[in-house]
Amino acid sequence: MTSPRKQIILGHYIGGVNHHTVWSDPAAGSQIAFSSFRHAAQAAERGKFDFFFLAEGLILRERLGQIFDQDIVGRPDTLPVLASLAAVTEHLGLVGTLNATFNEPYELARQLASLDHLSGGRAGWNVVTSFDAFTGQNFRRGGFLHRDDRYVRAEEFVALARQLWDSWAADAIAADAETGRFLRDAAAGTFRHSGRQFDVAGRFTVPRSPQGRPVVLQAGVSPQGRDFAAATADAIFSPYHELGPAQEYYRDIQARLARAGRPPGSVKLLPGGAFILGDTEADAVERQREVARAQVSGRTAQILLETVWNRDLSGYDPDGPLPDVDPDPAGPPVIQGRARLAEDPFETVRTWRALAEANRYSLRDLAIRVFSHTEFVGTPTQIADRLDHFVQNDGSDGFILGSHVTPGGIDEFVDKVVPLLQERGSLRAEYSGTTLRENLGLPPVPVAADRTPQGAPA
């Protein structure tokens, strides 16, 4: 008996602070205007994507105390953008990256439940953490959290948010005009929580939302991160794009789900990726080369390498050889707001020097090779084949796709690749669910029979 084809989950992302978006491209629009977000979201919905995803940068990146303004350096706040998009879309999920280190559970849970109401059950939350003091200086909490404590706080944060969302029964509102009784449940919204990170009590003000709880997404690569994601997430960002390692990761997450007492398939695995299409494979490869050089200018190449060297490399010719000095990891940080990319910068530099020598790379060529990878390059048929093969063989459950051009970069994928996936039965022709949770094929949120607040007398 032939197994039914897996349905490919698709998300479309617009990045936060980054150098991958080529804002100088003639086809690019505003990175700030609502019209750009509306165009991208409506194109994704036209292509029957599951959700639209906004990444977020909480601080502008600096080099030696100055903003690096070849980046995309500004973006409206995530939640107002998503709330606005709820009014101009009907089916598309609306997912935002929101930090569990610098926010507070009550406030964020309230905002996300409100978005779920406004969108009719389409809200999602990508949970991220931070231990970076440079980012933290924008917030009262600062950067005091130890790296190992970020998951401790995040796990309790998510658990408390879910407790708040569950504090209203589905039938808590009676709205009985005859009796004048609005609430059926006098305890609606009551909560109490006492933990290592949070000690709060009161009433949650937002009634149970259409999904019960917004969909939660989480990245998980380290063993601790994988356990956290398997225990708490509805979807996980997978870092793997090669089928073998991706299948191993898929199996590992399924095993962790079982240990967490969750059924198979209750978490969806979704790698991110960029795409470049061409009429022929050669056209796509040449186009990718042009895009890479637009993403990584000579100045950008110097700065990308500075994240590892931790030295001022502005005196080195981008079209010349790699710097002949060693990294200085103990020195004052040259780059702020961009994570250092190497645990051992000396070993990384040795590897890069060997790579540059073997391929006769200039400084800029190496930066392009290392920092400007496009996961899907080819004709529409080639990309459809690769996406479908990957999902059908349990490398993932779908993909979150982005483009180097905002907002219209997704249009080409919707017009040329989506129909091919639909023809082979791997992508819906119409939406079947009314909520993001339903469209992702996730199990419904259980309604607890006993909603006694944590710490309250039974």
Side-chain angles (χ1 to χ4, degrees):
M1 182 176 178
T2 304
S3 300
R5 297 190 73 80
K6 287 177 66 175
Q7 290 294 293
I8 297 177
I9 294 170
L10 290 178
H12 172 44
Y13 73 85
I14 291 182
V17 179
N18 71 93
H19 71 275
H20 297 99
T21 303
V22 185
W23 55 264
S24 58
D25 191 293
S30 171
Q31 309 299 316
I32 298 172
F34 175 67
S35 59
S36 291
F37 299 107
R38 179 179 61 204
H39 180 116
Q42 290 180 337
E45 187 165 70
R46 179 165 56 86
K48 311 306 177 187
F49 278 50
D50 291 88
F51 59 88
F52 174 77
F53 171 76
L54 277 182
E56 186 171 59
L58 294 178
I59 197 164
L60 302 182
R61 297 190 285 204
E62 294 182 4
R63 178 189 177 276
L64 297 174
Q66 299 296 316
I67 297 298
F68 177 53
D69 63 0
Q70 288 176 276
D71 271 351
I72 298 298
V73 298
R75 177 64 54 75
D77 186 71
T78 295
L79 283 167
V81 172
L82 296 180
S84 299
L85 291 175
V88 296
T89 55
E90 295 181 13
H91 306 283
L92 190 70
L94 303 167
V95 179
T97 299
L98 300 159
N99 198 295
T101 303
F102 304 124
N103 285 292
E104 293 297 325
Y106 182 91
E107 181 179 25
L108 190 54
R110 189 168 180 269
Q111 292 168 333
L112 286 165
S114 298
L115 178 62
D116 206 47
H117 276 290
L118 293 174
S119 64
R122 296 184 281 137
W125 171 25
N126 174 36
V127 183
V128 295
T129 64
S130 177
F131 60 91
D132 174 24
F134 178 71
T135 302
Q137 68 186 357
N138 274 352
F139 299 88
R140 175 184 61 81
R141 186 163 298 281
F144 78 89
L145 270 184
H146 187 274
R147 183 180 189 126
D148 294 339
D149 290 337
R150 57 186 179 142
Y151 284 121
V152 173
R153 177 181 168 88
E155 189 167 4
E156 188 174 335
F157 193 119
V158 174
L160 176 51
R162 286 179 166 154
Q163 181 186 343
L164 295 172
W165 292 329
D166 291 347
S167 66
W168 284 75
D171 62 350
I173 296 178
D176 189 331
E178 290 187 7
T179 64
R181 184 185 183 191
F182 190 78
L183 287 181
R184 178 176 289 111
D185 180 1
T190 303
F191 70 91
R192 183 179 302 144
H193 174 95
S194 182
R196 288 179 55 190
Q197 299 289 323
F198 308 103
D199 189 359
V200 292
R203 281 186 183 259
F204 191 57
T205 61
V206 183
R208 190 171 183 85
S209 70
Q211 292 187 105
R213 303 169 187 163
V215 170
V216 172
L217 293 84
Q218 164 70 26
V221 180
S222 68
Q224 186 183 19
R226 293 186 189 200
D227 282 338
F228 173 52
T232 64
D234 298 306
I236 299 175
F237 292 103
S238 166
Y240 299 104
H241 298 90
E242 298 298 327
L243 186 57
Q247 289 173 322
E248 183 178 346
Y249 181 73
Y250 198 100
R251 289 190 294 268
D252 178 70
I253 293 298
Q254 301 307 313
R256 292 173 193 265
L257 282 177
R259 291 198 293 271
R262 303 180 68 186
S266 55
V267 173
K268 306 302 181 183
L269 270 61
L270 306 170
F275 66 90
I276 292 178
L277 295 170
D279 293 333
T280 66
E281 184 176 8
D283 289 340
V285 169
E286 176 59 24
R287 189 178 176 194
Q288 191 273 336
R289 189 191 70 81
E290 295 171 356
V291 168
R293 296 193 73 78
Q295 291 172 324
V296 184
S297 65
R299 189 74 192 95
T300 300
Q302 292 170 332
I303 289 175
L304 290 171
L305 266 60
E306 285 175 349
T307 62
V308 173
W309 256 269
N310 197 40
R311 291 182 181 273
D312 180 356
L313 302 182
S314 60
Y316 289 86
D317 181 0
D319 295 318
L322 269 59
D324 54 3
V325 295
D326 286 334
D328 182 20
V334 173
I335 304 297
Q336 295 268 38
R338 186 196 299 267
R340 290 191 183 182
L341 302 174
E343 292 293 331
D344 183 346
F346 296 99
E347 179 60 30
T348 299
V349 167
R350 282 193 291 270
T351 300
W352 285 358
R353 283 176 174 154
L355 184 63
E357 182 178 356
N359 293 276
R360 298 184 178 181
Y361 284 155
S362 67
L363 185 158
R364 186 183 182 193
D365 292 334
L366 179 83
I368 289 171
R369 168 72 180 269
V370 173
F371 294 100
S372 187
H373 183 62
T374 301
E375 288 77 12
F376 303 104
V377 179
T379 67
T381 298
Q382 287 174 325
I383 290 181
D385 286 345
R386 183 176 171 194
L387 295 174
D388 197 28
H389 179 74
F390 201 89
V391 171
Q392 302 307 327
N393 287 278
D394 288 340
S396 73
D397 296 299
F399 294 90
I400 305 174
L401 301 173
S403 170
H404 65 284
V405 173
T406 300
I410 195 65
D411 294 352
E412 192 175 22
F413 185 93
V414 169
D415 293 337
K416 297 180 179 180
V417 180
V418 162
L420 299 177
L421 295 173
Q422 290 172 328
E423 285 175 7
R424 62 186 68 186
S426 299
L427 181 66
R428 66 171 70 88
E430 296 294 340
Y431 291 98
S432 57
T434 60
T435 69
L436 174 58
R437 187 173 295 276
E438 290 170 350
N439 284 324
L440 291 174
L442 293 168
V445 174
V447 178
D450 180 7
R451 297 185 304 100
T452 302
Q454 181 177 328

